[in-house]
């Protein structure tokens, strides 16, 4: 149980700043240009809930194996991110009038990368912390 708590926190502290940097700075102009008319104020409770649940998903589907390596975590993190973000993006594209293919491609790509990186660095950080305990 201690292992999963360390892994959860380690993955969270990698994922959240990366995603906030991307969404709040790097891609902000792109998303505003593409679907800005659909964007409103960020509702904090659902956003926080997403991160808490998504990190659980990473732990369950990517980092749950006790013998997980950085290579397997990178691969399965990328796949998990790809499928999760593709599910959201393609559903949005099918239902929302102003959703665009460029948004779909950028966000699926980002989800793939950020999940792979967060899962892998989270694993490496957790392993490092555990070695110090």
């Amino acid at each position: 149980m201690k292992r999963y708590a360390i892994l959860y926190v380690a993955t969270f502290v990698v994922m959240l700043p990366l995603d906030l940097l991307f969404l709040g700075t790097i891609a902000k102009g792109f998303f505003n240009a593409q679907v800005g008319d659909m964007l409103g104020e960020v509702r904090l409770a659902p956003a926080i809930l997403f991160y808490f649940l998504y990190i659980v998903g990473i732990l369950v589907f990517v980092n749950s194996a006790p013998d997980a390596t950085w290579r397997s975590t990178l691969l399965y993190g990328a796949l998990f991110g790809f499928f999760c973000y593709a599910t959201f993006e393609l559903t949005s594209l099918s239902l929302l009038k102003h959703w665009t293919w460029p948004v779909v491609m950028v966000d699926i790509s980002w989800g793939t990368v950020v999940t792979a990186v967060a899962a892998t660095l989270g694993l490496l950080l957790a392993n490092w912390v555990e070695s110090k305990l």
Side-chain angles (χ1 to χ4, degrees), residues 4 13 15 21 31 33-34 40 52 61 65 68 73-74 83 89-90 92-93 101 109-111 115 117-118 130-131:
Y4 289 111
V13 300
M15 173 86 180
L21 176 66
F31 284 113
Q34 291 290 313
F52 282 139
F61 295 106
T73 301
L74 188 67
F83 289 117
E89 288 299 328
L90 294 173
S92 296
L93 187 62
W101 275 107
S109 298
W110 173 246
T115 306
V117 169
E130 281 188 313
S131 75

Side-chain angles (χ1 to χ4, degrees), residues 24-35:
T25 305
I26 297 168
K28 184 177 184 177
F30 170 76
F31 284 113
N32 280 333
Q34 291 290 313
V35 293

Side-chain angles (χ1 to χ4, degrees), residues 58-75:
I58 291 172
L59 266 58
V60 169
F61 295 106
V62 179
N63 286 341
S64 62
D67 59 344
T69 66
W70 73 266
R71 286 180 183 95
S72 66
T73 301
L74 188 67
L75 173 63

Side-chain angles (χ1 to χ4, degrees), residues 19-112:
D19 210 28
L20 292 178
L21 176 66
F22 179 76
L23 293 172
T25 305
I26 297 168
K28 184 177 184 177
F30 170 76
F31 284 113
N32 280 333
Q34 291 290 313
V35 293
D37 58 328
M38 297 181 67
L39 300 175
E41 292 294 317
V42 173
R43 290 187 273 173
L44 205 50
I48 291 169
L49 185 58
F50 163 77
Y51 287 106
F52 282 139
L53 291 174
Y54 196 71
I55 301 302
V56 170
I58 291 172
L59 266 58
V60 169
F61 295 106
V62 179
N63 286 341
S64 62
D67 59 344
T69 66
W70 73 266
R71 286 180 183 95
S72 66
T73 301
L74 188 67
L75 173 63
Y76 289 114
L79 289 170
F80 183 73
F82 174 81
F83 289 117
C84 287
Y85 278 68
T87 298
F88 171 79
E89 288 299 328
L90 294 173
T91 299
S92 296
L93 187 62
S94 70
L95 296 174
L96 302 175
K97 186 177 182 178
H98 299 293
W99 215 251
T100 67
W101 275 107
V103 168
V104 170
M105 300 311 292
V106 166
D107 210 28
I108 290 174
S109 298
W110 173 246
T112 301

